[in-house]
Amino acid sequence: MVSPKVSVLMPIYNTNLEHLKESIESILSQTFTDFELIILNDSPDNKELEKFVKSYDDKRIVYAKNKHNMGITPSRNKLLDMASGEYIAIFDHDDISLPQRLEKEIDILDTHSNIGLVSGWEKWFGDKQDIFKTPETDVDIRIMMTADNYISHTACMIRKSVLDEHHIRYKEEYSPAEDYKLCSDLMNVTELYNIQEPLVMYRRYVGNTSQKQRNKIRNMAQKIRLENSNKYPAYRNEYENKCNETEIKLFGFIPFLNIKNKKGRKYIYLCNLLPIFKIQKDKL
């Protein structure tokens, strides 16, 4: 049996059926068609969800379910192990891939052997509408990764060979920011690229994971930012220069105060999270 070019990986957990319908059909209607869509159900007792997925008569869909609820990180790793494609396309169960997403990402990886991960922008819809724009080039992405995750995980496509050769998988101890950590680990071994246009419609609503676990994500992201900043001090220094930001650390490595200049005002943040002071420049 010939393996598909791309494995699209979608973990589901008690997913809203209307959201799931839009997500699945956005993949099935892609302009690039040589893919498998692996859907892993981490809510195995949800018979309605299983029935819904199995209602699709498309041989490209591979359905599996966990024997019991495993959680998102083990489920993502199980999907990676199940994938047979040359490229891995990450996709969340409540988002929408734009029609040429796979085609455009494959074109980058096929023509640039030095790039191991490609992503693009997110167009937010739902309770907040915006475009999450990310830097294009490898160097600019690395600079911004010392501040936050500037790679859209739900829009990622990754060479499976890079993941396997370097034994890179999602790490449970970094959940629920395991996606930021995975991208940071890939940054150590390959080049990164962001296509400068939206590839995915990212659904914003109260029930999605990023909203429900905002504080946990923020705290774990702070740990990853610190690791990236310590590992790549030159990139962190360049970030501070680009963003007109100064970071004061305790004992030389613990983030304590961040001073940022924005629109004529100086903002001071405690631990890069809590705004504690604002000063107009003309009063300095």
Side-chain angles (χ1 to χ4, degrees):
M1 183 176 179
V2 179
S3 297
K5 181 78 170 182
V6 178
S7 295
V8 182
L9 309 184
M10 181 190 292
I12 61 177
Y13 176 77
N14 290 331
T15 308
N16 178 293
L17 294 185
E18 186 59 36
H19 295 174
L20 183 58
K21 179 178 185 290
E22 292 178 336
S23 297
I24 291 175
E25 293 181 4
S26 76
I27 295 298
L28 297 181
S29 61
Q30 289 286 302
T31 56
F32 182 86
T33 60
D34 182 19
F35 62 81
E36 62 179 355
L37 171 58
I38 309 178
I39 300 175
L40 177 62
N41 186 359
D42 196 33
S43 49
D45 295 331
N46 191 328
K47 303 302 181 184
E48 184 181 26
L49 195 59
E50 178 172 340
K51 181 180 178 181
F52 178 79
V53 175
K54 288 184 173 181
S55 70
Y56 281 91
D57 184 20
D58 193 311
K59 294 181 179 179
R60 295 172 298 178
I61 294 179
V62 178
Y63 173 77
K65 65 179 178 180
N66 295 327
K67 292 182 179 179
H68 54 81
N69 174 248
M70 294 173 59
I72 187 59
T73 302
S75 293
R76 290 196 188 282
N77 285 331
K78 183 175 178 178
L79 280 165
L80 289 177
D81 292 338
M82 292 174 65
S84 61
E86 179 183 356
Y87 302 146
I88 301 294
I90 307 299
F91 192 45
D92 289 339
H93 61 168
D94 47 11
D95 298 331
I96 298 172
S97 282
L98 296 177
Q100 290 184 294
R101 175 209 164 170
L102 297 183
E103 179 182 348
K104 290 179 177 181
E105 291 179 325
I106 290 165
D107 181 62
I108 294 294
L109 294 180
D110 278 351
T111 56
H112 298 81
S113 59
N114 55 309
I115 294 174
L117 180 153
V118 59
S119 188
W121 296 353
E122 295 172 355
K123 186 173 183 179
W124 295 352
F125 71 107
D127 61 14
K128 183 176 182 180
Q129 299 181 18
D130 203 348
I131 295 180
F132 175 51
K133 296 182 178 181
T134 50
E136 180 177 14
T137 66
D138 182 67
V139 171
D140 284 339
I141 295 170
R142 289 168 182 271
I143 290 168
M144 297 306 294
M145 289 288 282
T146 64
D148 210 337
N149 189 8
Y150 276 82
I151 296 171
S152 169
H153 182 248
T154 190
C156 272
M157 184 176 287
I158 308 167
R159 292 185 193 276
K160 191 171 191 298
S161 60
V162 173
L163 292 168
D164 292 346
E165 288 169 13
H166 297 280
H167 308 290
I168 293 175
R169 289 296 187 267
Y170 294 95
K171 295 178 178 177
E172 179 72 44
E173 63 268 29
Y174 289 90
S175 183
E178 73 283 345
D179 55 336
Y180 186 7
K181 181 58 178 174
L182 181 86
C183 294
S184 298
D185 288 344
L186 285 164
M187 185 171 70
N188 299 334
V189 300
T190 191
E191 292 187 26
L192 317 172
Y193 184 77
N194 281 321
I195 296 171
Q196 297 297 283
E197 62 180 283
L199 298 179
V200 166
M201 302 278 290
Y202 178 80
R203 192 185 303 272
R204 298 271 307 199
Y205 63 102
V206 175
N208 73 353
T209 302
S210 61
Q211 298 296 310
K212 290 192 295 185
Q213 302 193 62
R214 183 181 300 175
N215 290 336
K216 290 178 67 177
I217 292 173
R218 182 176 61 188
N219 292 337
M220 191 54 66
Q222 176 69 8
K223 177 181 178 180
I224 299 168
R225 281 195 292 270
L226 178 59
E227 291 177 355
N228 289 346
S229 296
N230 288 338
K231 190 164 188 174
Y232 301 105
Y235 291 138
R236 180 64 196 187
N237 289 338
E238 186 61 23
Y239 169 78
E240 292 175 0
N241 291 335
K242 280 179 173 288
C243 297
N244 204 9
E245 175 179 339
T246 302
E247 183 175 65
I248 299 172
K249 298 180 180 180
L250 292 177
F251 311 113
F253 66 93
I254 300 176
F256 178 55
L257 293 177
N258 288 77
I259 304 171
K260 302 179 183 182
N261 295 309
K262 299 179 181 179
K263 298 181 179 180
R265 294 189 178 115
K266 186 181 293 290
Y267 294 81
I268 301 177
Y269 294 81
L270 179 64
C271 299
N272 200 27
L273 297 173
L274 181 65
I276 58 174
F277 209 56
K278 178 175 70 176
I279 309 172
Q280 286 185 307
K281 284 188 176 181
D282 57 10
K283 293 184 179 181
L284 294 179

